[in-house]
């Protein structure tokens, strides 16, 4: 019998799969161009908002031309998730104070 994964488990798998699939050879890091292509395809709203991909690189502490590791990407995901939760929090009573140190 096949295991049934939760939506959260599937979402985590998607994040990892999309990140590594964005590289030409399934490598551990992305170039700026590979990252931009992934973000444009998978996060189109974020790619267009507030300075686009350059702003996303800044949120990861990177500049155009630097390699992007999954750790860098995860930092971005954490920030975007917290931001999105904040935007949606008007509909909720809980507030997210999730900050990675």
């Amino acid at each position: 019998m096949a295991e049934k994964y939760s939506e959260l488990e599937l979402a985590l798998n998607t994040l990892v799969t999309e990140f590594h699939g964005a590289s030409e050879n399934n490598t551990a890091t992305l170039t700026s161009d590979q990252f931009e292509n992934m973000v444009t395809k998978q996060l189109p709203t974020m790619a267009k908002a507030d300075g686009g991909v350059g702003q996303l690189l800044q949120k990861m502490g990177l500049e155009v031309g630097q390699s992007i590791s999954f750790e860098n990407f995860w930092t971005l995901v954490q920030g975007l998730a917290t931001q999105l939760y904040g935007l949606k929090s008007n509909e909720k009573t809980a507030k997210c104070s999730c900050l990675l140190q």
Side-chain angles (χ1 to χ4, degrees):
M1 183 174 178
E3 288 186 57
K4 180 160 172 91
Y5 294 102
S6 72
E7 287 185 30
L8 182 56
E9 290 168 321
L10 292 172
L12 291 171
N13 183 64
T14 298
L15 285 168
V16 173
T17 301
E18 289 298 326
F19 178 84
H20 291 293
S23 71
E24 292 177 17
N25 298 320
N26 214 20
T27 59
T29 61
L30 299 178
T31 65
S32 293
D33 288 340
Q34 291 167 339
F35 177 73
E36 183 173 1
N37 289 337
M38 180 191 71
V39 168
T40 301
K41 179 180 173 187
Q42 299 298 333
L43 299 168
T45 304
M46 302 297 174
K48 295 175 188 173
D50 299 329
V53 174
Q55 180 67 25
L56 296 177
L57 289 169
Q58 284 182 339
K59 288 182 180 185
M60 293 184 292
L62 300 171
E63 296 178 13
V64 174
Q66 288 186 281
S67 294
I68 296 105
S69 68
F70 186 79
E71 183 178 357
N72 299 134
F73 178 62
W74 189 254
T75 299
L76 176 66
V77 168
Q78 186 267 330
L80 293 174
T82 302
Q83 179 183 354
L84 182 60
Y85 184 86
L87 293 173
K88 296 241 176 221
S89 68
N90 293 336
E91 304 163 13
K92 302 176 183 201
T93 58
K95 299 282 185 199
C96 180
S97 59
C98 311
L99 295 175
L100 293 178
Q101 301 297 329

